Amino acid sequence: MTRLAAVVFDVDGTLVDSERDGHRVAFNTAFAEAGLPDHWDVTTYGGLLPIAGGARRLASWFESTGRTPVEARRLAERLHARKTEIMRDLIADGRVQARPGVHRLLDELDAASIPVHVATTGTRAWVEPLLERVFGPRFQTVVTGTEVPELKPSPEVYLEVLRRTGCPADRTVAVEDSANGVRAAVAAGLRCVAAYNPYTRDDDLSGAALVTGGLDDPALVAWFRRHN
Ligand SMILES: [Mg+2]
């Protein structure tokens, strides 16, 4: 096995437990502030997660609840801007934390001098403060949904990381938690290791080289030791 050139991490649900107690809460606060009756409980939000990108998720929801497409898009844009501000506040308050095992895996990759990067469809305005607060200056290259024309499952965000770093795809490994993420990584030519969470437990992760229940799973730790 050739040595790994780099490891590229997804953010939401992979590096951090951000969905249920981060994004979902921020969306609900934005709804309430705007005087809207909409509210996403844990199960409803889980059903919306396959729609990548907060603004798209909002627009799809508003259309499904009877707003016209134009109204839905306008409302989604306004709410998404406010939701991003609220998410930044939640991050500053320490409400979004690393998933178990992430810090140890990053330490091991660092000790092996393997560069780590980020490929996320999240918005740069909250991704940057989140990475800074939870991980410090760990990641060399960070590409977000703000910089690419198409979100996962499109491979665009991974291809952009490869372009910027010069890493060969076949020696670069992605770490993902969801079906959309695994599809994006594999379509970009990367091998992918998947660590599902309660929201993505039933996702089709069959494109991944390894599927585990967490980044602290001994099988995942052993996989990286074997491949670096
Ligand atoms: Mg994810």
Side-chain angles (χ1 to χ4, degrees):
M1 173 55 62
T2 320
R3 197 178 150 73
L4 292 184
V7 179
V8 187
F9 288 85
D10 168 51
V11 174
D12 281 320
T14 300
L15 285 176
V16 289
D17 272 321
S18 49
E19 296 292 5
R20 194 190 66 182
D21 300 324
H23 295 296
R24 188 184 67 89
V25 172
F27 282 118
N28 283 332
T29 305
F31 291 146
E33 279 185 8
L36 297 172
D38 308 76
H39 181 87
W40 291 345
D41 61 27
V42 171
T43 307
T44 303
Y45 189 63
L48 296 168
L49 276 180
I51 306 164
R56 288 179 55 218
R57 196 171 297 154
L58 282 166
S60 168
W61 169 261
F62 287 138
E63 274 200 60
S64 76
T65 51
R67 280 88 161 190
T68 66
V70 173
E71 196 185 351
R73 203 173 55 245
R74 201 175 295 144
L75 204 49
E77 274 168 26
R78 184 159 64 86
L79 268 282
H80 189 244
R82 178 62 189 136
K83 178 262 167 182
T84 299
E85 291 174 1
I86 297 164
M87 186 65 183
R88 285 168 61 102
D89 291 343
L90 293 176
I91 289 161
D93 288 345
R95 292 277 295 273
V96 181
Q97 295 293 325
R99 275 184 85 183
V102 170
H103 285 294
R104 194 178 66 163
L105 177 59
L106 291 173
D107 285 344
E108 287 210 14
L109 294 170
D110 187 44
S113 300
I114 296 171
V116 289
H117 309 297
V118 162
T120 173
T121 50
T123 305
R124 180 163 288 275
W126 65 259
V127 170
E128 240 172 24
L130 169 72
L131 294 178
E132 180 57 36
R133 189 180 202 286
V134 181
F135 301 102
R138 283 259 196 190
F139 299 98
Q140 292 187 8
T141 299
V142 175
V143 180
T144 75
T146 307
E147 288 94 51
V148 291
E150 284 178 32
L151 305 184
K152 298 174 189 176
S154 159
E156 268 310 315
V157 70
Y158 278 106
L159 293 172
E160 186 60 25
V161 169
L162 295 178
R163 271 194 287 270
R164 291 188 190 188
T165 60
C167 290
D170 59 353
R171 287 177 52 221
T172 303
V173 169
V175 185
E176 280 284 356
D177 70 302
S178 70
N180 276 342
V182 171
R183 281 174 61 197
V186 170
L190 278 67
R191 274 177 300 165
C192 186
V193 168
Y196 60 77
N197 57 50
Y199 270 134
T200 57
R201 180 181 299 275
D202 297 325
D203 276 24
D204 176 7
L205 305 173
S206 56
L210 174 76
V211 178
T212 69
L215 290 116
D216 53 353
D217 189 312
L220 185 139
V221 176
W223 192 93
F224 274 102
R225 285 192 185 145
R226 235 180 11 255
H227 288 82
N228 71 33

